Amino acid sequence: MMGSNIKHQTSTLSLIFLLMMPGFALSDVNQDKAECSNQLVGLAPCLPYVGGEAKTPTIDCCSGLKQVLDKSKKCLCVLIKDKDDPSLGLKINGTLAGTLPSTCRASASMTECISLLHLTPNSQEAKLFEGYQKLTEGHGSTPAATGNIYIYS
């Protein structure tokens, strides 16, 4: 049953990303589509966590996130930016999604999203990413999934 749930989440995430494609205003849509549709599938195991249904991200979520960040940080930025898009059909908690790199002990600065997405520095969206970064800087006591053990720093 768990495998079919992950397959459903993966399919849902792929479909959602295809629906998000019109939101790429300043980029080559075909390039972003090819780049991010494959990358975001790796974040399917994160949906229960960023949707507020799980207290901590799973190992699969964190490893998928690290792979996405290694290949294209922009893809995570796009997903977080468009989290409130009603066409997504998903409930994504922006704070949980924005602090996911820190929670998973992955190297990422959420303020990089401002330049990656070509946001105006003082815009509301830019301020959200700056806020996520500030939250991660004080995120030292958040558990990170490592096997079945949760490490607190």
Side-chain angles (χ1 to χ4, degrees):
M1 185 74 178
M2 181 89 150
S4 67
N5 189 25
I6 289 176
K7 285 180 185 176
H8 174 71
Q9 288 176 342
T10 301
S11 298
T12 301
L13 194 57
S14 296
L15 177 61
I16 287 165
F17 186 73
L18 291 174
L19 293 173
M20 288 171 47
M21 290 314 299
F24 287 111
L26 298 174
S27 62
D28 179 353
V29 174
N30 291 330
Q31 180 181 348
D32 287 333
K33 182 177 178 180
E35 177 186 342
C36 291
S37 63
N38 292 333
Q39 298 305 317
L40 291 178
V41 170
L43 295 178
C46 299
L47 290 174
Y49 176 72
V50 298
E53 297 170 11
K55 291 185 179 191
T56 57
T58 64
I59 295 170
D60 290 340
C61 167
C62 290
S63 63
L65 172 69
K66 289 173 185 175
Q67 289 176 3
V68 168
L69 293 173
D70 285 344
K71 293 181 181 175
S72 177
K73 290 179 184 178
K74 180 179 183 179
C75 295
L76 178 64
C77 298
V78 168
L79 185 62
I80 293 170
K81 178 183 170 283
D82 292 340
K83 69 182 175 14
D84 294 325
D85 185 339
S87 67
L88 291 181
L90 286 177
K91 183 177 99 175
I92 297 176
N93 178 309
T95 301
L96 293 175
T99 56
L100 186 61
S102 174
T103 303
C104 286
R105 306 282 193 251
S107 177
S109 170
M110 295 312 297
T111 55
E112 285 182 61
C113 292
I114 297 168
S115 61
L116 291 171
L117 298 175
H118 308 287
L119 300 176
T120 304
N122 291 323
S123 69
Q124 185 63 33
E125 289 174 326
K127 288 179 182 179
L128 284 174
F129 284 107
E130 289 170 355
Y132 297 145
Q133 182 63 36
K134 286 178 185 172
L135 286 173
T136 63
E137 290 166 0
H139 222 236
S141 62
T142 302
T146 56
N148 291 329
I149 302 169
Y150 294 96
I151 298 173
Y152 296 86
S153 53

